[in-house]
Amino acid sequence: MNFGTLWRVIWPERGPLFVVVGGIVSLAGDFASFLGNIASPQILVWPAVGLAGLLSWFCLGQVSKVPAGAEAAVQEEAIQCRECDAFRVMLFASVGVVLLLLAGQGTTATERIGTQLGLIQEDVSAIREDATAIRDVTSSAELVRNPRSAADFFRNAWIYNMVRRDNAAAWDSIQELYGRHTPNKLDAAELYFNAGRMSLTRDQLMAQMIEVGRSRRDAAMLVIAARNMESNEEAFALYDEARAIDPDMPFAYWDVARVQLMQITNGATSRDNLASAQAAVAGHERFLEVASRKPVASYFYLPQHQADFESLARSQLESFRSNAQTWERIVQQQDEMLARQRR
């Protein structure tokens, strides 16, 4: 068998057809390896090379049977046998797989492209997660474009006041809230007080808060007004009005946030201090009793920004019980001393 015959076996007249078929086979194997997640894509080469070698043995066996001086038609018929056709397909398939592995730098080309696409997808997913996290953070500071509910107006006023530091806009928004709704929320009334201090004098603001609380029958507004009153007598009068409007509001019975209710008066007698401590004990007990009727958090739009008033009341209650006992002993000792002096 000469070189010309061997070349015609590898590249017959229909050579391009076998190249195309072999390329299709190599691509199909490459794609199958990607879908099948083959750990070592190089093993695709060995079946193709093995089949090509086996088929070449059968093919060359058929061609070698033709006598050297046989006619060209007889030689061509031998070259076009089924074994030779299959050999050429597997030969070009093997070459195709090798080229794909070279293009994939050790992996199949399809797998490499898929990995790159996967990395792009991972990057997009990571960006999406970051954007979602940013969105979650920034969404809490987004204004409601068309506020309608009381919560919408409060949200805008709170954002203007706490986030954007735009007190004028906060004041306008909180006034619109009370112009349209009766929220009966302590943090809304407190925001009304904080925003109003920049636009009104203290006396004007307190008078306006009392008027709003009475006209809108908003107990929370009266409680916050009472909390900021200078004298306890004025505060108690407003707490009484708030209790009449909302009997379930514990702050209307005893406002644990008004420090003036628990201050010791300078120059007070032991009996006065005892009376103050006993009043504080009774007030805290009343607060806790009323607080058990409904959640204290229901009186706030943003309870997460408030103290745990029930725990605070329990802690202060124990402190004032101890103070009351101390003042009781002091008063008792003073009474005993006076009794001895009179004998």
Side-chain angles (χ1 to χ4, degrees):
M1 182 187 303
N2 55 31
F3 177 78
T5 302
L6 181 60
W7 175 249
R8 290 174 61 194
V9 169
I10 297 173
W11 194 269
E13 294 180 0
R14 294 182 296 164
L17 175 63
F18 292 109
V19 172
V20 172
V21 176
I24 292 173
V25 172
S26 63
L27 285 174
D30 179 56
F31 189 65
S33 74
F34 172 69
L35 295 179
N37 231 356
I38 296 177
S40 180
Q42 291 88 342
I43 64 175
L44 292 174
V45 178
W46 304 117
V49 172
L51 284 173
L54 180 62
L55 291 170
S56 68
W57 184 73
F58 287 113
C59 175
L60 295 177
Q62 293 292 333
V63 174
S64 62
K65 294 179 181 178
V66 179
E71 297 179 358
V74 176
Q75 293 181 0
E76 188 66 26
E77 182 178 358
I79 292 171
Q80 300 299 333
C81 67
R82 289 178 296 178
E83 292 82 356
C84 292
D85 289 343
F87 159 67
R88 284 186 282 268
V89 169
M90 294 311 303
L91 175 64
F92 292 120
S94 302
V95 174
V97 171
V98 171
L99 293 176
L100 288 172
L101 288 174
L102 291 175
Q105 298 179 5
T107 61
T108 65
T110 306
E111 183 178 0
R112 183 172 181 80
I113 294 172
T115 301
Q116 291 176 338
L117 291 175
L119 289 175
I120 294 173
Q121 179 62 35
E122 290 176 3
D123 291 341
V124 171
S125 299
I127 293 172
R128 185 185 299 112
E129 291 178 1
D130 293 341
T132 301
I134 295 172
R135 174 67 177 175
D136 291 340
V137 173
T138 58
S139 62
S140 62
E142 287 184 358
L143 295 170
V144 179
R145 293 184 179 181
N146 298 306
R148 295 182 179 179
S149 67
D152 291 342
F153 285 106
F154 173 79
R155 175 187 174 90
N156 286 353
W158 188 88
I159 291 173
Y160 281 129
N161 183 260
M162 302 299 294
V163 179
R164 301 194 177 188
R165 304 300 182 183
D166 187 345
N167 192 77
W171 178 233
D172 291 340
S173 184
I174 199 69
Q175 286 190 103
E176 193 168 3
L177 163 62
Y178 282 93
R180 299 188 182 194
H181 303 279
T182 304
N184 199 31
K185 302 288 186 182
L186 290 165
D187 48 359
E190 191 169 16
L191 180 56
Y192 191 102
F193 175 77
N194 291 332
R197 288 187 301 174
M198 302 298 293
S199 302
L200 303 174
T201 65
R202 180 181 178 84
D203 290 343
Q204 290 174 336
L205 177 60
M206 296 305 296
Q208 185 167 313
M209 291 178 65
I210 294 171
E211 191 279 328
V212 170
R214 289 170 176 170
S215 62
R216 304 298 300 186
R217 292 191 60 78
D218 192 298
M221 182 66 83
L222 293 176
V223 166
I224 297 302
R227 182 180 296 175
N228 291 280
M229 282 291 178
E230 293 185 359
S231 69
N232 284 338
E233 289 74 16
E234 293 175 306
F236 283 134
L238 293 176
Y239 287 134
D240 290 340
E241 291 186 49
R243 282 199 302 274
I245 296 173
D246 187 354
D248 291 328
M249 180 178 285
F251 296 89
Y253 292 86
W254 185 264
D255 191 356
V256 294
R258 178 173 170 82
V259 296
Q260 293 91 329
L261 295 178
M262 296 167 282
Q263 287 178 342
I264 300 298
T265 304
N266 292 330
T269 65
S270 300
R271 291 186 182 278
D272 292 337
N273 290 334
L274 173 60
S276 298
Q278 290 174 335
V281 170
H284 282 81
E285 290 175 341
R286 188 61 171 153
F287 177 92
L288 292 171
E289 186 274 322
V290 178
S292 64
R293 300 176 187 175
K294 60 187 296 186
V296 175
S298 64
Y299 287 103
F300 298 94
Y301 280 117
L302 298 173
Q304 65 271 26
H305 292 290
Q306 305 299 323
D308 185 350
F309 289 106
E310 291 177 272
S311 296
L312 178 62
R314 291 189 181 93
S315 175
Q316 290 180 347
L317 175 59
E318 294 303 318
S319 176
F320 277 99
R321 279 175 176 168
S322 177
N323 288 342
Q325 292 172 357
T326 300
W327 286 113
E328 283 177 356
R329 289 193 297 268
I330 293 174
V331 169
Q332 184 178 3
Q333 291 172 358
Q334 290 176 345
D335 290 343
E336 291 174 352
M337 184 180 298
L338 287 174
R340 287 194 298 268
Q341 289 176 354
R342 290 172 183 172
R343 289 176 184 176

